[in-house]
Amino acid sequence: MSTPELYPETLVLLAQYAMRQVGSEGLVKWAVTQLQTGLSSPSLEILAGLDHEATEVRELYFWQAVEEVGMEIPREEAAYLQSYAREVARTVVAGEENPQQGLAMLKRIAYHQIKHPFYMEFLRIQEDIDVLINTDFPSVYGKVNSLDEVDAVIRAACRRFIEGE
């Protein structure tokens, strides 16, 4: 058995699926990729061949495959969106992801998980950036006071998100 953090590509897929950025065909592609990496299970093999099946059928085999191969992936949307947000924040802090692209993804997650206070920080950062770009006014929330500091502010917010989650 393993924790969700060991399967970032699966968490990315689930988060994108929850946010409607990828359809159930993504579950089929995931199965094919898992088979290519050496994982195998009856449901994984079936899912890999479900090119023209209904979404419900694909979802059923996806969750069966996850269980059969021993992935401990939460079924609750909030849980895998949070894991995905943590992964995005980690890549921004590590310098593997452009901070502004990371912010764009974290904003999308925030729209689905608006109750979490750390997600609100990302929305406020974007609001400050928009105000600085489009008006002569100072930032609304005081998160970003100059466009020169945007990347550093995003990285710092990602670091706080990872540490404070």
Side-chain angles (χ1 to χ4, degrees):
M1 294 298 200
S2 56
T3 61
E5 288 74 18
L6 296 178
Y7 297 99
E9 71 283 348
T10 303
L11 293 171
V12 168
L13 169 68
L14 285 169
Q16 291 173 335
Y17 188 67
M19 294 185 294
R20 310 296 185 259
Q21 293 177 332
V22 66
S24 66
E25 71 280 352
L27 303 177
V28 174
K29 290 177 185 174
W30 171 86
V32 170
T33 301
Q34 298 309 305
L35 289 169
Q36 290 171 339
T37 63
L39 281 178
S40 184
S41 82
S43 295
L44 193 60
E45 292 171 11
I46 292 168
L47 177 58
L50 296 180
D51 289 337
H52 304 291
E53 288 295 326
T55 294
E56 297 79 19
V57 173
R58 290 172 173 173
E59 287 176 354
L60 172 72
Y61 281 103
F62 172 80
W63 287 111
Q64 287 177 353
V66 163
E67 187 175 309
E68 289 170 5
V69 299
M71 291 183 185
E72 291 181 9
I73 302 291
R75 287 187 179 232
E76 302 81 29
E77 185 176 292
Y80 51 80
L81 284 172
Q82 186 172 358
S83 293
Y84 179 48
R86 189 181 318 112
E87 178 65 12
V88 170
R90 185 202 63 76
T91 62
V92 168
V93 170
E96 299 167 12
E97 178 73 69
N98 174 293
Q100 293 181 41
Q101 290 174 336
L103 177 63
M105 182 52 64
L106 289 164
K107 279 184 353 195
R108 286 188 208 113
I109 297 168
Y111 292 130
H112 287 78
Q113 297 294 311
I114 202 76
K115 295 176 184 174
H116 196 296
F118 285 112
Y119 294 123
M120 290 302 297
E121 182 173 11
F122 298 118
L123 294 175
R124 290 178 178 138
I125 289 169
Q126 185 62 59
E127 180 72 20
D128 279 354
I129 292 168
D130 291 344
V131 167
L132 290 171
I133 289 172
N134 297 313
T135 72
D136 293 329
F137 299 109
S139 65
V140 176
Y141 297 104
K143 300 283 183 188
V144 183
N145 296 310
S146 160
L147 293 176
D148 294 333
E149 65 182 20
V150 168
D151 288 355
V153 168
I154 295 168
R155 276 194 195 92
C158 287
R159 196 171 296 109
R160 284 191 299 278
F161 178 76
I162 294 168
E163 293 168 358
E165 195 178 27

